[in-house]
Structure formats: C-alpha cells, structure tokens
Amino acid sequence: MFLRRLFLALCFFTPLARAADMPDLVSPENRIVIGENDAPWRELAAELRAHGNVTAPFTENRYLPFKKIPVVFTGRMRLSAEGALSLQYESPEKQLMLVDARGVMLRDSRGRTREVPSDPRANAATTALLHVMRFDLDALSRNFELYGRRDGDTWQLVFDPRPGELSRVLNRLVVTGKDAHVKQLEMRKSALQGIVIVIGEADTQVKFSDEERREFFR
Amino acid sequence: MEPARQKFIARLILFVFALVGAFWLLRLDYGRKISTNVIDLIPVDERAPELSLVRSLTDQQQARVLLLALSSGSEAPPAEAVSAFADSLRRSPTIAEVEVLGASETRNALGTFVFERRFDFLLPRWLAEKHAQFSSTGRPASEFSTWLAGDTAEQLDHFLTRAESVAFQELLPSDPLLLVPSLVEKIQSLAVSSSGEVNNHALVWAIVRDSPFSEAGQDPVFGAIESALSEARAIASEVELRWTGVNRFAAESKARIKAEISWLNTASLIGVIGIACLFVRRLWKVLHLVPVVLFSTLGAWVVTTMVFERVHILVFVIGSLLAGVAIDYGFYLYMQPALRPDEPYREKLGRLLKPLLTSCLTTVIGFSLLFWSELPLVQQLGVFVSAGLISAVAVAMLYFAQLDRAFLETRNFSPPSSPRARYIVRPLFALALIVAVVGPWCLHWRDDIRQLEIPAVELRANDAAVRQLFGDAQERTAYLTHGETPALARAALERFTTWHDAQFPHAPATSAGYLLPTEAAWTQRGTLLNALADFPEKLRPALDTRGYTAESFEPFFSAWEDLRAAESPAYASLFTDIRRVLTGPLGLLFHLDENGGPSWFLTLADHPPGAEPPAETSTFGVAQLESLNSLFSRYRADTAKLSIIGLSIIGLSVFVLYGLRRGVRIFMIPAGSCFFALGLLGLLGQPLNLFHLLAAFLGVCLSHNYAIFSAENARRHEPPPPSIRISALTTGISFGVLAFSRIPVISALGSTVALIVFTALLMVELEPLGQTSGHKKPPAN
C-alpha cells in the first residue's frame, strides 16, 4: 500500500513537486521590470500574439487535498486571437468552459449553458487570466509580480498576484513554454492542491469556422 | 310663484349647493383620494386569485424597486464611490432598503448562512430524495446506510469530473453530500440576476419607502438619488448613473397628462368659442352656460368622492367630457324661444320638461348600470356621469329660473330645403346603412393596459437597458406558486417543480423556495437521521475505496455527530430565518406570511412562456402584462353586457314614453350613429378596446339627447332646434380634439364620441330633407 501511494505520488505529484522549486525562479534576479528588462519577454509576447487563433489538445490534472490521485481531464483548447479561451473537455465528461471578456460560461453535454455569476473577485481573476492569455505584459504588471527565466529554447514565466483582492482568488500562475509555444499552465494553491494543464502540439493561425465560433465561443 | 321669489329660491339653492360642494371638496386629501396607479384599475378583491396576487406583487413589491447602475467611463466605478452612493441613499428617509449587488458582505452572509444551516435547510430534501431512490431498489431498510455511503462517494466522484467543481474544493471536506453545490446549481439563475458588476457597471438595488405613484415616492426620491450621485462624484468625478423605477414613469406620465389636459382644454375652448361666435348673436350670453357645466362637474366630483374611497385620475380625465353632455341641457333650455313674449319661465320649463327629463333620466339609467361593473374605473365613471347629469339638469332648471330673460338668440344655418335634396340624402343614408350593417362584423378587439398611458419611448429604452444590466432575460418565464400557508405553498412548489422539470427538461426552474425544505421532508428528517446512525462508519470506507482520504472529511463527520445530538428546531422557525437572510432582490422572490397565512414563491425559468402548469400545482405563469390585458378583455366583455342592457332600457323607456312610431325614430338616431361609427372603425381596421366601448355608450347618450330634443320638431315637420346643432358641434369639436391626444385610450374615446355625435347631427339635420314632404321653414329666432 505504501509503495502504491509512493508510486502515485511520484507519478502525479511531479508537476507540483517541480513547481515547488519555484522559489528559485521567484527571486530578484528573475524579476521582470516593465521598461527595464522586459525587452526579451516583449519579443516572446509578440511572437505568441502573432500565432493568431490557436488550438491544441490538453490534459488537465486537478490535485485535491482530499483525493489521493488527481482528477484528470482531457480535451481541446482553443484560444482566439481576441483572447477568449475555450476549453472543450472530452473526458471524463463532455463539457465546455469559456473564459472571455464577458466572464466565465459553462456548457454541459446536453447543451445547457450557464454563466458563472460575476462578482468583483471572480471578475478580477477572469480579467487577469485573459491578460495572461494575451501576454499583455503592461496590464499584467499592474496586478502581478512578474518573474521569468529562459533556459535554451524553454522558458518559464511566473505571475504572482500582488497582495489584495486578486491574491485571495488567484494563486501563483506559472506558464512554461518552448520556443514560441505555451506548454504548461500551472495554478497552485498548496503543495497538495493545484491545477496543471499540459498543452499538446498546437496548431497556430487556425481559422475558426462560423460553426466552431458558435459552438466554442460566444 | 312670484318671479322675485322664484329667483331668490333658485339662487339660494344654487348657493347652498356650491357651498356644500366646495366645503366637501376642500377638506379632501387628494393625495390619498386620487390614484394615478394603473394597478388601482384592478379591483382589490379581484375574483381570480392569480390576478389578486399579481396586483399585490406589482403594487406592493415590484413597483417600489429602483435599479441603479453606476459606471465610470469604460470601467466600473471605484468601490468607495459606490459605497458613498449607497450610504447616501440609506440615509435618505425616502428609501427603505439599499443593497449593492454582489457586495461581498451580503454574499458572504448568505453563503455563511446556507453553509452553517445546510443540515436544517438542505439536508431534509436530500435525505427524502435519497430515501426514495433507495426504496426503489427494493433492498432491506437495514442497508440504507451502506447504500447511501456508496452513493455519496459515487456522486462525489461524478461531481469532481465537472469543470465547475474547482470552485467548491475548499467546501467539500465539510460537505461531501454536495448539499451546497447542488443548491448553487439549482439557484444559479437567481445569482446571475443579483450579481454585482456587469459590463463595467456597479449595480445598486433599492426599495422606495412610499408608493411610487404618490408625491412622496417621486420628487423626494429623485432628490435623494441626485444627492447620492453628488456624493459619489465627490469621490470619483466621472461617475455616471443610469437608473429606472416605476416612479420615473409615474412622474413622467403625470407631467405629460397635465400638459396634455392643458393643451386639449385650450384647443377645445378655442373650438367651442369658434362655434359660439358662428351661431350665437350675443356671444357674452354664452357665459350663462358656464355655471351649468361647473355645477354639473361639482356635483359629479362631490358624489363620486363621497361614494368611493379612492378614485382613479382617469375618471376625472374621461369624466371631464361630461361637460359635453351637461351643456346639452343648458343649450336646450336656453335656446328655446318663448311661445309668446310674456310666457313665464315656469310655463316654458313645463313645456320642455318631458324631453329634458326623458333625455336625462334615460341616460342616467344607462350609466347607473355601469355601477355594477367589476372594474372600479367603469363603476366610478358610471357614478360620475350619472351624478353630473342629474346635477346638470337640476342646475340648468334652477339657473335659468333666476335670469330675467332666459333666451339665447342664434343665427340660422339650416340646410336649404329642396325636394331634390332627397336624391342626395337617400343614397347617403343607404351608404351609411351598409357601413352600419357590414362594418361591425369587421371589428376586432385589442385590450392593452399600456394604452392607458402616454408612451414614454426614451424611458422605456432606458428601462430595458438598465434591466438588461440587472440580468432580466427576455426569454425568461416567471411563475407564481401560492398556498394558504407557507408549508402548503412550499408543498405546491415541489409539485410544480416536478411538473416543470418534466415539461422543460433543458431549462430547469429556479426558486428561492428551494432553500426551504417541504414540511413532509422536514418531518421525515428526524426518522431518517435515526436510521442513519452508522452512516459515518459506512461512508469512511466508501470514500477510501474511491481514492479519497477519509480523514480529510473529518469536518463533515464532526458536524454530523453534532446534528444527531442537537434538538431539531420547529419547522415554522425556518420561515423566520429565511426571511431574515434573504433580503434585497432575493426578498422579492417569495412571501412567507409571519402568521402562517397565504404565502407564495416566485420561480424563474430560462425559457419563453409555454405550457401552463396544471391546477394542482397552485402555480400560474406571471406574464403580468398579459394577465392585466386579459383582465381588461374580461372587463370589456362585462362592460359590453352592461352597455347592451343599459341601451335596451333606454330604448324601452323611449318606446314607452313616445310610442312605437316616434320611439323607433328616436331610437334609430343613437343606435344608427353608433353602429355607423363602429362600422366605419371596423372597415378602417381600427382595433377597439374597452374605451371605444365606453365612448360608444357616451356617444349614444349624447345622440339620444339630440333625437329626443328634435322629436317635437320632427313631429311638426320642422327643422331641428338650433340648440342641437350648436350642442352637437361644440361637443363634437371638444371630443374631436381629444382624438389628437397622445394617450391612446383618450384618443380612442375622443374619436369615437366625435364620430357618433357628428353622425347623429347629420342624421338629425338630413332626416327631414330625405323625406318626401321636406320640412317647413324654421321658426324665427
């Protein structure tokens, strides 16, 4: 039993364990100061924005403090050039989550749509997430401490919410990428609680059909 | 009687009448006596319970709501400015309640309440449902705990596979039964409509203390809002406000009606003076008709305000048209020449008394019947006109008794009599007959309560925009579930929910009532808890088997033990608690009577109106406008029935008093002109409503006067008396002016009456020309 647990921990807690190394990254030398050392990151941001519409498969691992193994979701994400993020979950249940300027919308497999009630804190989180999606460094720097590190063609960015309303609803957000592609999004609450989204091979400059826009956006 | 004594008595009676009337009217509290509220047009004890509920809901609850949306350019205004705005409103004595929607304190208080009391409010229903599911498996009762533990773990698994479960992660160790997440899912739509910031607006909800239709509910409230906005702008100068409330519409409507009455009266006066200048030789003598109209109106006001506790303003607006009827008696008495130069007034009056009283009393009988209408407006109008007519005829007789020479000379504009005129007149009558016979079959009715008001386009657009910010979906259907007690209302809500979910599976209903358990589930809770004594012991391994760490759920197990040890509160105490916590907009979604009396729940569903709930659910769809419109349709049918009875009585009395042959002629003029007017409207495709019907009734009474007053002349083959011409023209012009009113019902009333009056006048004038023998020359005036 102990071995089984250890194995599970090794398998599934790895991303969180890696994230636990973040103090290395969250240090003064990696801090991005707008107008001072942000030039390389602006180039990356420009490259990411130049992708236009993006679509990619993803795997989302939800780590819960009361569950021994994470809950795993798989699906396809769509990021529109306008900055709306659509997560089409395919397993364990078909459902859709859309995050856009109007807030968060959920649609179940029967097509029932529900809008998540907006409240100031949730709005702040949604807005922040959208800024992340657009890599809008100026807007992000108003609400987050930004840290970044490059290692060859891989890179990591940390968005640490500044103390205040946002920090109560959004945890540290870590974005990992390779070249001009985002590979992983990680939101951590604690060592045992967090969400890690692993993004597969992305298609860029995708043209969403009208039907796709209707189905996956609003 | 000596002329001097006759004058003295007449003046004394008029003086006393004026004094008593003025005394009565001066001591009235007009704010309380006169209503401008459209909803007051519905009887307080309306026989259909759903309409009574809609009336109460509209009048007592929704009408007092203010929706205020603050913005600051393209961003939401600073929280400090919103707080300053709300605090300023709270300090105002005109505002009873203020809530900043989405304010974390309110939301947190509600969330804390629901979470802390989840075993009282949510567990009973959960247990009842689970027990019903378990019973359907046919397993022995002793296995309930085991089955429930397995089911709980399975449902938890299933919940965690949903995207939104992430929001409840912190809660689940205390609530593995998913009581709170299930409620949140059920009442999601309510939360959307009470969220705080939409499209960069901060939303503030408030309740006005006084009725929005009263003075206290208007200007002082507008002042309080202005002052609150100033306070917000002191913090953030760019703050903008958009708001809506029934009081805005009421104030606007009142202002527009005042302006309307002012220009309509002026136009009407100019028209009447124009006619008088044309027909009357000595214009100043027309002033003698003014007291008749004034006293008639005084009589109508005094009697109506004496009889009714509260009178709607429309009665006075429509009733002011009484002047058109009242002046007929004055014209008739005043314009009749004496048979000889020394004919005493009493002798002249005796001669004219029969047509005068016949015309007045038959009309009064007709209007009195309206008193039996269900609609307060129609009742009040019946009393107003009846009292006004009796006053008019009495005052006309008394007033002219105290004049030295009660005679108004007129110019003669009789149409020239020619034998060939009948070749024109007869085809005209034939054409009119066709219209009168065919046209009414083309009539169609449209009852719309909005026609009672002047359309305020800008305010409506603003209202729609603000309501959209507050989450009012177009495709939303509201239902009202009622019961004799709170418990019965909740039980009915359960039956309704079952029906609704089966009928509209993709658009579940949402109600604040879901927070409350049914009495049956509450009673069952104790028994089921006893049967689940070993539930924690069963749940731990069930959770473990499914990959959970059972010890993480210790907060739940601890709360479960506390629950089993605690004493259960009384069911009625739940009502008090729920009333205390559901305030603001949510507080308008239910009414739980403190004394256990009639109560209701409002349920919202995101779908367009569809099938009506069956009677056993004690629920009905609250499409308020449609409800009120259908109510008006019913009242229109009622009024039509009374009008037909009234007209039959008038016709019958004419036949009794004038015999069959003359009776037919007298009856044909009002009936013919009425059918012609309705026929013409039908052929023109004009939809009719209750007010066209009232106008037709009024028009018939007016033309009935002309028929009676011209009866004597017709018998002698003489042209009709000039008083009819002047009377009909002045009345027709007065009503014709109303046709230009922006209030649809007033316009309907004016155009219909004017059409009937002009038709009747033409019938009276042309009838002799159409006869083979023509008529004699008119008597010299």
Side-chain angles (χ1 to χ4, degrees):
Chain A
M1 188 70 179
F2 171 74
L3 284 175
R4 186 165 163 257
R5 280 194 182 176
L6 181 66
F7 172 75
L8 287 172
L10 285 174
C11 287
F12 294 104
F13 287 5
T14 305
L16 286 176
R18 274 176 52 198
D21 295 337
M22 215 46 70
D24 283 353
L25 176 56
V26 182
S27 60
E29 62 269 23
N30 293 324
R31 186 159 171 216
I32 302 169
V33 182
I34 300 297
E36 283 183 22
N37 59 349
D38 59 334
W41 298 105
R42 281 192 183 280
E43 277 174 33
L44 174 66
E47 283 177 57
L48 287 167
R49 278 200 297 269
H51 286 330
N53 295 332
V54 178
T55 170
F58 73 90
T59 303
E60 178 181 328
N61 298 303
R62 286 192 190 170
Y63 298 90
L64 302 163
F66 50 83
K67 204 156 184 352
K68 296 162 197 163
I69 54 173
V71 184
V72 182
F73 296 78
T74 61
R76 175 160 283 275
M77 61 160 282
R78 290 173 180 79
L79 180 64
S80 76
E82 299 83 40
L85 174 67
S86 169
L87 297 174
Q88 180 199 0
Y89 292 97
E90 280 160 358
S91 74
E93 255 187 27
K94 285 189 186 302
Q95 53 198 319
L96 180 84
M97 182 190 275
L98 173 67
V99 184
D100 63 11
R102 286 158 64 187
V104 179
M105 188 199 82
L106 300 164
R107 189 178 295 148
D108 66 17
S109 53
R110 289 187 294 174
R112 272 173 47 192
T113 298
R114 282 183 295 133
E115 293 195 29
V116 174
S118 60
D119 70 62
R121 287 188 299 176
N123 275 354
T126 309
T127 310
L129 201 58
L130 285 173
H131 289 320
V132 172
M133 292 300 132
R134 293 176 192 133
F135 274 83
D136 184 345
L137 293 180
D138 292 323
L140 284 166
S141 67
R142 283 198 288 273
N143 296 310
F144 295 90
E145 295 281 1
L146 308 181
Y147 298 90
R149 186 170 59 192
R150 278 177 179 275
D151 185 8
D153 51 2
T154 61
W155 48 267
Q156 264 192 323
L157 275 167
V158 174
F159 302 95
D160 219 359
R162 292 183 193 278
E165 194 86 330
L166 188 63
S167 66
R168 272 176 249 154
V169 284
L170 203 66
N171 302 304
R172 176 177 294 169
L173 180 66
V174 184
V175 183
T176 307
K178 188 176 179 191
D179 297 326
H181 294 282
V182 175
K183 289 294 179 188
Q184 183 174 293
L185 294 168
E186 183 182 330
M187 283 163 274
R188 293 199 311 160
K189 178 86 177 172
S190 66
L192 292 177
Q193 188 174 358
I195 297 174
V196 177
I197 301 175
V198 180
I199 298 168
E201 203 58 46
D203 293 330
T204 58
Q205 309 298 349
V206 178
K207 190 165 168 45
F208 294 138
S209 66
D210 289 347
E211 195 183 343
E212 267 181 308
R213 284 200 177 274
R214 266 197 305 277
E215 194 174 349
F216 302 113
F217 296 94
R218 59 177 166 180
Chain B
M1 190 187 288
E2 288 296 311
R5 188 177 161 77
Q6 177 184 293
K7 279 183 188 176
F8 173 74
I9 290 174
R11 283 174 184 168
L12 184 68
I13 295 173
L14 288 173
F15 179 72
V16 170
F17 180 42
L19 203 65
V20 172
F23 174 73
W24 171 261
L25 292 181
L26 283 173
R27 57 176 287 283
L28 286 180
D29 175 358
Y30 289 92
R32 295 173 66 87
K33 196 75 180 179
I34 296 176
S35 162
T36 55
N37 187 352
V38 170
I39 213 74
D40 278 343
L41 298 173
I42 303 172
V44 177
D45 52 352
E46 162 54 44
R47 64 178 181 220
E50 63 269 27
L51 288 168
S52 281
L53 273 172
V54 169
R55 184 190 198 282
S56 136
L57 188 69
T58 311
D59 190 29
Q60 302 301 322
Q61 310 266 345
Q62 293 182 343
R64 291 169 195 248
V65 171
L66 298 180
L67 303 177
L68 308 115
L70 293 162
S71 63
S72 176
S74 59
E75 291 182 0
E80 299 76 26
V82 178
S83 293
F85 181 82
D87 289 344
S88 173
L89 285 181
R90 280 189 194 103
R91 285 194 302 273
S92 167
T94 63
I95 308 287
E97 198 180 339
V98 179
E99 190 170 315
V100 178
L101 298 189
S104 44
E105 307 83 56
T106 316
R107 201 182 43 240
N108 291 347
L110 179 59
T112 306
F113 173 83
V114 171
F115 176 72
E116 285 178 353
R117 301 288 304 276
R118 64 193 183 282
F119 290 142
D120 286 337
F121 283 91
L122 308 177
L123 183 66
R125 186 178 181 180
W126 183 85
L127 281 176
E129 282 177 1
K130 293 294 174 188
H131 188 255
Q133 284 173 25
F134 170 71
S135 300
S136 68
T137 65
R139 293 165 67 172
S142 57
E143 291 182 19
F144 184 36
S145 278
T146 312
W147 176 88
L148 189 60
D151 181 74
T152 301
E154 188 185 332
Q155 293 303 319
L156 187 57
D157 257 4
H158 179 66
F159 177 67
L160 289 175
T161 63
R162 289 164 57 183
E164 69 265 36
S165 64
V166 70
F168 297 97
Q169 284 179 17
E170 312 290 323
L171 197 69
L172 295 180
S174 303
D175 189 18
L177 309 183
L178 305 173
L179 298 176
V180 175
S182 302
L183 177 77
V184 170
E185 189 186 349
K186 273 179 184 293
I187 62 169
Q188 197 93 54
S189 306
L190 299 183
V192 168
S193 54
S194 61
S195 58
E197 266 183 38
V198 180
N199 294 340
N200 302 320
H201 283 79
L203 305 181
V204 180
W205 178 96
I207 285 272
V208 177
R209 197 175 297 282
D210 292 291
S211 165
F213 300 98
S214 68
E215 284 297 332
Q218 294 175 6
D219 284 342
V221 176
F222 304 157
I225 292 171
E226 273 304 312
S227 159
L229 183 60
S230 303
E231 290 198 28
R233 281 182 175 156
I235 293 168
S237 59
E238 66 284 3
V239 169
E240 293 295 330
L241 171 69
R242 288 187 85 173
W243 72 279
T244 190
V246 169
N247 54 359
R248 271 189 99 165
F249 285 93
E252 177 75 7
S253 179
K254 205 189 294 178
R256 288 184 184 211
I257 286 177
K258 274 184 189 167
E260 188 93 346
I261 288 174
S262 164
W263 87 260
L264 286 176
N265 282 344
T266 310
S268 176
L269 191 66
I270 292 169
V272 170
I273 289 173
I275 295 293
C277 290
L278 202 63
F279 284 92
V280 177
R281 289 182 196 279
R282 292 176 189 168
L283 198 57
W284 65 268
K285 290 185 86 176
V286 172
L287 291 177
H288 281 303
L289 290 166
V290 174
V292 178
V293 174
L294 288 182
F295 274 99
S296 151
T297 309
L298 178 71
W301 271 74
V302 168
V303 174
T304 313
T305 50
M306 271 181 179
V307 173
F308 297 100
E309 180 86 19
R310 205 160 155 76
V311 186
H312 197 274
I313 193 164
L314 268 181
V315 173
F316 300 106
V317 176
I318 299 171
S320 66
L321 313 174
L322 167 74
V325 193
I327 206 165
D328 278 2
Y329 308 127
F331 273 131
Y332 188 60
L333 258 178
Y334 199 22
M335 290 185 170
Q336 288 290 333
L339 282 183
R340 53 179 202 282
D342 60 341
E343 186 189 33
Y345 176 75
R346 286 189 66 191
E347 200 177 310
K348 178 181 159 184
L349 183 63
R351 187 156 58 74
L352 303 174
L353 204 56
K354 184 182 171 186
L356 210 54
L357 287 184
T358 308
S359 135
C360 173
L361 294 180
T362 50
T363 311
V364 166
I365 289 170
F367 268 95
S368 307
L369 275 174
L370 298 184
F371 187 67
W372 276 271
S373 164
E374 281 185 275
L375 191 63
L377 174 75
V378 176
Q379 285 177 0
Q380 291 161 11
L381 202 61
V383 170
F384 189 90
V385 176
S386 300
L389 291 183
I390 292 172
S391 306
V393 84
V395 167
M397 289 192 289
L398 287 168
Y399 185 79
F400 293 114
Q402 50 92 47
L403 294 185
D404 285 332
R405 188 166 177 265
F407 179 57
L408 183 66
E409 297 92 339
T410 58
R411 294 192 181 93
N412 184 23
F413 286 101
S414 293
S417 172
S418 154
R420 274 188 289 180
R422 65 174 181 271
Y423 297 118
I424 301 168
V425 170
R426 284 181 180 178
L428 272 180
F429 271 107
L431 192 66
L433 186 68
I434 292 170
V435 172
V437 172
V438 177
W441 296 100
C442 306
L443 285 176
H444 63 282
W445 301 88
R446 191 176 71 204
D447 298 289
D448 189 341
I449 195 165
R450 287 171 297 185
Q451 292 186 331
L452 291 167
E453 296 170 325
I454 299 175
V457 182
E458 282 175 22
L459 277 185
R460 288 258 167 246
N462 173 67
D463 182 71
V466 175
R467 284 185 187 281
Q468 198 168 16
L469 287 174
F470 278 76
D472 271 8
Q474 291 290 320
E475 292 281 86
R476 192 174 264 195
T477 302
Y479 297 94
L480 205 65
T481 305
H482 54 98
E484 284 305 304
T485 63
L488 288 175
R490 181 61 187 89
L493 178 64
E494 198 66 12
R495 292 194 296 276
F496 165 69
T497 307
T498 308
W499 170 85
H500 185 274
D501 289 354
Q503 195 76 28
F504 302 96
H506 299 300
T510 301
S511 174
Y514 294 159
L515 187 55
L516 195 69
T518 61
E519 193 172 26
W522 178 258
T523 312
Q524 205 183 6
R525 184 183 82 147
T527 319
L528 292 176
L529 277 178
N530 286 336
L532 292 168
D534 57 347
F535 178 60
E537 284 76 61
K538 306 285 185 194
L539 183 59
R540 283 192 177 94
L543 289 169
D544 226 28
T545 309
R546 286 189 172 264
Y548 296 93
T549 49
E551 57 271 27
S552 302
F553 293 90
E554 213 42 58
F556 165 74
F557 294 122
S558 164
W560 183 269
E561 289 310 317
D562 290 347
L563 167 71
R564 285 176 44 76
E567 202 171 312
S568 183
Y571 182 57
S573 74
L574 302 183
F575 310 148
T576 321
D577 295 341
I578 203 171
R579 268 198 308 267
R580 182 171 50 78
V581 73
L582 290 184
T583 55
L586 294 177
L588 293 186
L589 299 176
F590 65 96
H591 168 73
L592 294 170
D593 190 81
E594 286 174 20
N595 304 313
S599 304
W600 52 258
F601 295 100
L602 195 70
T603 302
L604 303 174
D606 285 335
H607 61 74
E612 272 297 303
E616 64 267 22
T617 61
S618 302
T619 302
F620 57 90
V622 194
Q624 288 183 10
L625 200 62
E626 283 72 17
S627 306
L628 296 178
N629 289 346
S630 64
L631 182 71
F632 264 64
S633 298
R634 206 181 84 207
Y635 288 144
R636 193 225 322 134
D638 252 20
T639 309
K641 199 167 68 188
L642 288 172
S643 303
I644 289 168
I645 297 172
L647 288 179
S648 309
I649 292 173
I650 292 175
L652 200 66
S653 55
V654 167
F655 286 117
V656 169
L657 290 168
Y658 287 91
L660 188 65
R661 192 159 168 227
R662 292 177 70 199
V664 166
R665 181 204 166 270
I666 292 174
F667 192 67
M668 275 302 289
I669 291 174
S673 42
C674 177
F675 275 104
F676 172 78
L678 293 180
L680 195 63
L681 292 173
L683 291 175
L684 292 173
Q686 170 72 42
L688 305 193
N689 57 41
L690 171 68
F691 292 87
H692 285 96
L693 199 66
L694 286 173
F697 197 39
L698 198 64
V700 164
C701 292
L702 285 163
S703 46
H704 175 65
N705 287 352
Y706 309 148
I708 289 179
F709 293 160
S710 61
E712 288 302 317
N713 297 44
R715 191 165 61 94
R716 295 194 298 268
H717 299 291
E718 285 176 2
S723 64
I724 291 177
R725 195 171 303 133
I726 300 177
S727 171
L729 285 174
T730 50
T731 307
I733 281 186
S734 304
F735 279 92
V737 165
L738 295 186
F740 296 99
S741 169
R742 284 180 300 163
I743 307 173
V745 294
I746 301 292
S747 171
L749 203 79
S751 53
T752 311
V753 174
L755 199 56
I756 293 176
V757 164
F758 284 133
T759 310
L761 176 64
L762 280 175
M763 281 180 83
V764 168
E765 295 280 12
L766 297 181
E767 181 217 356
L769 302 180
Q771 289 174 5
T772 320
S773 52
H775 60 66
K776 294 177 189 173
K777 288 192 80 171
N781 288 326

